[in-house]
Every structure is written in C-alpha cells, then in structure tokens.
Amino acid sequence: MIAILRRSVLPAAWFALSFLGAAACAQAQSTFGPVSIQVDETRAPQKILHTHLEMPVQPGPLVLYYPEWIPGEHMPDGPIINMAGLKLTAGGKTIAWRRDLIDMFALHLDIPQGVNSLSVDFDFLLSAPASGYSSGASATAFLSMLSWNQLVLYPKGYDAANITCNPSLKIPSGWKFGTALPVSKQNGDTIDFSPVSLETLIDSPVLAGRYFRAIDLTPGQNPPHEIDIAADSQASLAMTPETESHLRQLVAEAGALFGSRHYRDYHFLLTLSDDVAHFGLEHHESSDDRVRERALIDETGRIDFADLLPHEYVHSWNGKYRRPAGLISPDYHQPMQDDLLWVYEGLTEYLGEVLTARSGLFNQQQSREDLARLVAYYDAEPGRSWRPLQDTADAAVFLYNSDNDWINWRRGVDFYEEGEMLWLDVDTTIRRLTKDQKSINDFCRLFHGGASGQPDLKTYTFDDIVVALNRVAPYEWSGFLRARLDSTSPNTPIESVENSGWKLVYNDKSNEIEDNREVIRKGVSLYSSIGMAIYGEGIVVDVMYGGPSYNAGIGPGMKITAVNGKQYSADVIKEAITNTKSSSAPIQLIVSNGPQVATYSVDYHGGLRYPHLIRDDSKPDYLSEILRSQAP
Ligand SMILES: [Zn+2]
C-alpha cells in the first residue's frame, strides 16, 4: 500500500487527508462452500451497496466473521462500522444474531434443525469524505471501486483459500468494468464471475464507471497486461502516448528485473477522481490506484503520481508472491505481525522508484531530486534519535493513522522511505563487494524469481533475507541490516546516497519534485530552513522538533497571519527567509493560536535552503547505473 500524500517532506495533515496457531493448522485442510455472493452496486452514486449471500449450513451454533485484517493495509481496519441492515434468514425464518463482546468482528447465531442453507443480506455504506484507504471514499456519480472484503461474511474455522465463492455483480446501467477476476458470463449489466476462493475474491477488486477506458499494454504477449481507467469525465481519460509508452516499458523493466511473473494476467485499475481517497493498494494480479481526476492530462498531476503504479506493481512480486510469514492472516481474523514491513514496503518503495526511472516515468534528474528531498528529511528527522526504524514497522498499526503534527518527532511509517534508503545501501554494497559484477537485480531474480504462471505464495523470515543476500554476495548482512534497523544514532540515510556516488547539498534553488508537491498540496515545506511546514493560508502543519520555529515557541495547528508586518502568503514568508542572510534581525511572525494572537520571533539567518544531489567524482556512479533502463 502507499498513501500518496504520506510521502511527506511536506506532511499531509491536510490529507483532506508468524505466527499460525494450532487452530490455523487444524483448519487449513477443511473446505467450505460454495457461497453465492450477489452484489448490487447500482446505487453506488448514492454511496450504498447491497450484498446477498447464500451459504450451506448445519443445525447448531455458528460463528460468522467480517474480514478484519485487510491484506496490504497491514491493520485490523475492516470497515465493519459501515455494515447496515443485516438480516439473516434460514428456512423462511429470521435468525437472531449477537456480536461477540470480546471479538467484535464475530457474530454468533444458532441454525435451527432441518435447515441447510443460510441467506445473508446487508447494505454497505460507502464513505463520503475523500480520505482513508480502501474503506475511504470509493464511489462518485460516475464510477465505483468495489472491494469484496466489505461485502462478505463467512464461517469461522476455514482459511479463505479453502472457501469457494460464486460471485456476481450488477453495475449501473451503461457502465463498463475492469478486474482480474475471470468472467464466466455477462447479461446486460449483471456479470457472473467464475468460481474463486474467498482469498482470490478479496484480492480482486472491480473498477467500474461511465467514463471508462481499457488499454492493452502488451498486445499479443502472454501474460496479458491491461490498464483499466475509470474517471469522473471523458476528457480525463486522455492518457498521452508518452505515458502509455512509459507504462509499456514499466512492464518490460519489471520482467527484466525479476525474470518471471507470478500472475495469469495483470490489471492496473486506475481511478481518476478528486472525490475518492487517494492511495494505492496492491493485489496479486491487479492494483487499486486512485489519483486526482486530471492526473493523466496535467503534467503536475502526472509527476505527482509517477511512482504509484510502479510501487503497487512491484508488490505482485514483493508482498504477494514473497510475503513475510507473520503478515499472513489465513482468515483475515488472526492478527498480522508487521515487523518485516521494511522489506514488504521498504524494498517495494526502493524497487518502485528504480522502475519509475527505468521506465521513463521520471528522468534521472527527477529521480535524484526526489531522493535528495527524502534524504534531507530523514537525515534531519529528530525522531530517529529515539524510535528505531524497526519500531516504525512494529508499530505500523498505530503509525498509519497517526496525525502529521509533530510527525518528525513521533515518526510515521518511515519503513517506506527510510526503507528505500536502506535498500539503496544494500544495492550499492553488493555492487562494491562484487566489483560491480552483481547488484540488487541478482537478489530479485533469486528471491522473487522461480516459475512464472499462477499466483503463488512463498513466505519468508528475516533469516531467509540474510541467506539470499549471502548467496548474491557473502557479507555480514545480518549485522548490516540490524545496525540500520535497531540503532538510534547512525546517519544511514545520508550514507546510503553517498555510497551511490552522489552528495547531498543545499542551495537556494528550489527542489523540482518538492516544488511540484507544493503546487498539488497547496503548501510550503520549510523544514530545511526555519523548520516547519505550512498549509494553505498559513496553517502550521508540523514544526521540526528543536529547530528555529520550535525554539521560537511555534507549534502545529497555529495560523500565521503576518510575516515582518506583511500579510502571510507562501511568497511573503519565502522572501522573509531569503532576506535573513543579509539581516541580523529575527523574522517576526504574527500567529493566532486558538483564542490568542501573539508575535513570535524566529531567530534564523541561513536563507532558503533546498536539497539536491551532486556527483562525487571520487566514487563510482552507482546511482546512474541503478536508474538506467535494463530491458530491451
Ligand atoms: Zn506498498
């Protein structure tokens, strides 16, 4: 998963923002079904879906689960709060139910004698606010992204892989759809899908819309690759030939990197709307990618989501095919353990950025600017002094939903971006150890390769990572990784970029990628100068702990109304910071803090500072080689 606004040198407060117990082993062999699942999404524009289930039952007590731990979201955030109108019937009679008082995603019921089939009906209330993840806003007047986990109940005691489902879907009249699910037949607006396991069903969302376009990215090739796009307007579907060519290259570059493909076909499911949640969620044979309506036709928007599709696509190998053993919840009910997210998400973030450059979605200068702003932020992030990188993964369940005020001190889900730097360090270390004969490419072929074809799952542990790295290049990999994961002192982010043959420098010329983000997010990042980030008309989003603005007494949530006697604007505060170089006077800010209005003096004299990378000729240029296209 990736939250687009999470990548947060300019944080996103305005985010209009292994263990398998004995029971799991015992239940693994049991099969259940078939469960008939009929979903009606004709009222999706009204923000309501209806589901009707039929499942075989036996007389006696029964426990039904609603999916709790959602794959790819790494949290127990199944949106059970949005289930409404639940009605259970069997043999023509209503069946009473009671929620478990401890296990809140479990419902208890009693099936009467003489009954062998249970009907389940409920509505799913779609969120309206455009924030959150897959349970966030997912439908507009013109499109809908359907996640099956929101629309099912299933009996306790079975792995999802062993529950057979017969799904069907009714879409609004005239809409088209895209999904990785195999279709058995379509009758008007009703689609019957082939029987699949509950695991495959929940891993295969359906994108539908009035303004819809499907583009074959690999005509005549096997396996097929398609991008299915639903938008809030016809005009937004006009992907440029350049972007289409970069996406074709993305598929080719991933093939060159991993050497095999673990899917029957692959669908990028791209939602273009300003009124849905913006993020990406990986699946084995598809990805749920949601961005702004004009992201394909506006260059600023295109740059903003350039790395989203590569990240989610990499997950088909790193996350779905190879998955930490602790991140598997066979029934969505047993808790996941997030400690290896620095591999699941961190390596994906690294490989996603690499493929963004190799496919041409970013040029090398844009990739370096993106890396520079991340290294600058993490090199200076105060929270690294108390919370080790490992704990950002261990505590991901909390950190995904933490606010962005004081995020630099609390730390967020840093295993994505600091994980990216850790894996850059791994890549350059392999290159150095092998005198440039091997690289992360060899690790990927070894670790993520194998036979192509059906979606498969191979679990791993920390030790498996170390063993695979040692097969590529013998080294003290366990110590290398643990030093970067457990320590609260080393400057590993900056070392990772220095080991790649480049140096981090600051000057007053703005960073291209940060500039683009400021336009999209209507904010300004001043972390590297006065130590704060500001949104809109002066709202302080975050203040660097221990920095100049912190020392002046300013905190998140305050509103800057004037700068050196002038009304606040982004340009006015940047001009004031520029002038500090030639003045010994502090910057005077008039700031409102709830009911109080007061003046704050920021004692800072370094001018505007923006991060960039420059070449270090004393070292080999690994970074340029890493970012260079590898596919024919
Ligand atoms: Zn991800």
Side-chain angles (χ1 to χ4, degrees):
M1 181 172 70
I2 189 170
I4 297 175
L5 297 184
R6 172 192 52 71
R7 297 173 53 87
S8 75
V9 170
L10 186 58
W14 51 90
F15 204 88
L17 212 351
S18 55
F19 109 107
L20 305 180
C25 297
Q27 75 186 39
Q29 302 304 318
S30 311
T31 60
F32 182 84
V35 181
S36 162
I37 302 171
Q38 297 169 27
V39 172
D40 182 344
E41 70 168 353
T42 56
R43 289 182 184 270
Q46 266 180 290
K47 308 287 190 289
I48 199 160
L49 307 175
H50 184 78
T51 187
H52 174 76
L53 316 176
E54 296 275 351
M55 65 181 76
V57 289
Q58 294 176 340
L62 177 67
V63 176
L64 294 178
Y65 283 151
Y66 188 78
E68 180 177 1
W69 288 82
I70 306 306
E73 301 196 352
H74 320 309
M75 293 178 277
D77 63 341
I80 195 167
I81 188 69
N82 289 340
M83 171 196 271
L86 177 66
K87 187 163 188 193
L88 309 174
T89 53
K93 292 183 180 158
T94 299
I95 306 289
W97 55 272
R98 177 101 196 250
R99 186 183 308 281
D100 192 288
L101 294 180
I102 305 296
D103 192 358
M104 305 288 278
F105 285 70
L107 304 179
H108 294 270
L109 47 152
D110 204 32
I111 303 296
Q113 291 297 321
V115 162
N116 58 16
S117 177
L118 176 71
S119 297
V120 179
D121 282 89
F122 65 89
D123 286 336
F124 183 76
L125 312 174
L126 290 161
S127 292
S131 61
Y133 302 114
S134 65
S135 60
S138 303
T140 72
F142 303 119
L143 57 83
S144 174
M145 184 66 182
L146 183 142
S147 301
W148 295 96
N149 63 284
Q150 298 167 356
L151 297 153
V152 294
L153 289 172
Y154 54 99
K156 175 183 178 178
Y158 301 92
D159 288 0
N162 295 330
I163 299 176
T164 302
C165 301
N166 292 323
S168 73
L169 174 64
K170 186 173 187 196
I171 58 178
S173 178
W175 286 22
K176 295 184 175 126
F177 72 97
T179 178
L181 280 180
V183 174
S184 68
K185 73 170 193 286
Q186 183 171 1
N187 184 5
D189 301 320
T190 300
I191 307 123
D192 290 341
F193 299 102
S194 303
V196 290
S197 69
L198 181 61
E199 180 183 42
T200 299
L201 184 70
I202 285 180
D203 197 41
S204 308
V206 183
L207 176 63
R210 175 170 164 186
Y211 305 110
F212 192 91
R213 197 176 167 203
I215 302 170
D216 184 351
L217 293 173
T218 49
Q221 292 181 31
N222 196 33
H225 298 80
E226 184 169 296
I227 181 164
D228 302 309
I229 314 170
D232 272 342
S233 63
Q234 184 69 34
S236 312
L237 295 171
M239 185 192 289
T240 63
E242 290 77 22
T243 299
E244 191 175 324
S245 153
H246 296 323
L247 292 178
R248 294 183 198 283
Q249 191 63 24
L250 172 61
V251 172
E253 295 290 347
L257 176 63
F258 295 110
S260 58
R261 302 178 190 276
H262 311 287
Y263 47 78
R264 297 162 295 182
D265 57 42
Y266 192 88
H267 292 251
F268 296 96
L269 303 174
L270 180 62
T271 303
L272 300 169
S273 170
D274 295 337
D275 296 311
V276 300
H278 291 150
F279 69 98
L281 182 61
E282 65 276 17
H283 300 284
H284 209 132
E285 299 182 300
S286 62
S287 55
D288 172 359
D289 308 295
R290 310 187 193 181
V291 298
R292 290 170 178 76
E293 181 181 339
R294 295 177 60 82
L296 282 181
I297 55 176
D298 171 276
E299 182 61 5
T300 309
R302 192 199 67 76
I303 289 174
D304 195 54
F305 91 102
D307 54 356
L308 177 66
L309 270 55
H311 176 104
E312 304 306 342
Y313 186 37
V314 164
H315 271 315
S316 180
W317 290 265
N318 189 53
K320 291 300 179 180
Y321 171 55
R322 294 309 309 263
R323 201 177 315 164
L327 268 169
I328 293 173
S329 176
D331 58 358
Y332 314 114
H333 203 74
Q334 295 179 51
M336 296 176 182
Q337 296 176 35
D338 288 342
D339 55 310
L340 286 174
L341 280 177
W342 58 273
V343 189
Y344 184 117
E345 294 292 359
L347 177 57
T348 299
E349 190 77 354
Y350 177 61
L351 297 175
E353 292 297 321
V354 166
L355 292 185
T356 300
R358 290 184 186 175
S359 61
L361 287 161
F362 268 172
N363 60 40
Q364 288 216 356
Q365 170 64 12
Q366 288 170 326
S367 291
R368 286 194 298 268
E369 287 282 270
D370 200 21
L371 185 56
R373 70 185 189 85
L374 296 180
V375 171
Y377 175 80
Y378 287 100
D379 183 52
E381 187 191 47
R384 298 182 73 256
S385 68
W386 76 271
R387 191 196 289 275
L389 179 60
Q390 178 67 63
D391 192 59
T392 70
D394 296 348
V397 163
F398 309 126
L399 292 174
Y400 268 115
N401 291 315
S402 70
D403 289 332
N404 283 302
D405 47 348
W406 297 124
I407 193 168
N408 70 87
W409 185 225
R410 177 192 298 113
R411 301 195 80 176
V413 285
D414 293 1
F415 52 84
Y416 282 85
E417 290 165 346
E418 198 176 324
E420 175 186 339
M421 289 161 227
L422 183 158
W423 285 98
L424 171 63
D425 222 349
V426 170
D427 196 352
T428 59
T429 300
I430 296 172
R431 288 169 194 263
R432 179 175 55 78
L433 292 171
T434 62
K435 298 192 166 37
D436 224 5
Q437 296 303 299
K438 291 189 175 173
S439 71
I440 200 90
N441 301 356
D442 298 275
F443 173 81
C444 289
R445 284 190 164 239
L446 176 67
F447 195 71
H448 302 96
S452 289
Q454 295 289 316
D456 202 358
L457 169 62
K458 285 176 71 179
T459 61
Y460 64 84
T461 62
F462 177 87
D463 289 345
D464 294 328
I465 295 283
V466 170
V467 166
L469 286 169
N470 269 313
R471 283 181 62 188
V472 175
Y475 192 53
E476 284 295 322
W477 286 113
S478 181
F480 176 99
L481 294 171
R482 292 264 50 111
R484 283 152 183 79
L485 291 164
D486 299 333
S487 175
T488 49
S489 60
N491 295 319
T492 47
I494 204 157
E495 284 169 13
S496 71
V497 78
E498 287 173 352
N499 291 339
S500 78
W502 292 74
K503 283 190 288 199
L504 180 69
V505 295
Y506 292 89
N507 60 33
D508 60 5
K509 182 173 172 295
S510 62
N511 177 294
E512 178 185 345
I513 301 300
E514 198 59 54
D515 253 4
N516 196 78
R517 295 170 58 79
E518 290 187 0
V519 170
I520 292 274
R521 287 159 181 70
K522 302 180 175 61
V524 51
S525 171
L526 303 168
Y527 276 133
S528 298
S529 55
I530 61 172
M532 72 161 83
I534 305 167
Y535 172 63
E537 294 305 306
I539 304 293
V540 178
V541 178
D542 188 28
V543 172
M544 192 67 98
Y545 186 83
S549 297
Y550 173 91
N551 292 334
I554 297 171
M558 297 184 186
K559 183 170 193 277
I560 303 170
T561 55
V563 182
N564 289 345
K566 283 180 155 178
Q567 189 169 335
Y568 173 85
S569 73
D571 288 340
V572 164
I573 198 163
K574 285 182 179 177
E575 185 182 305
I577 295 170
T578 300
N579 292 340
T580 60
K581 277 187 129 174
S582 54
S583 166
S584 58
I587 302 171
Q588 298 286 344
L589 301 178
I590 297 177
V591 174
S592 60
N593 183 16
Q596 183 195 55
V597 177
T599 301
Y600 293 82
S601 299
V602 180
D603 192 16
Y604 171 80
H605 302 283
L608 283 170
R609 295 173 80 239
Y610 296 104
H612 307 279
L613 299 188
I614 59 166
R615 179 78 181 95
D616 176 357
D617 289 325
S618 71
K619 293 178 178 166
D621 184 2
Y622 290 140
L623 184 59
S624 299
E625 176 63 19
I626 288 166
L627 300 176
R628 191 175 60 78
S629 168
Q630 311 281 315

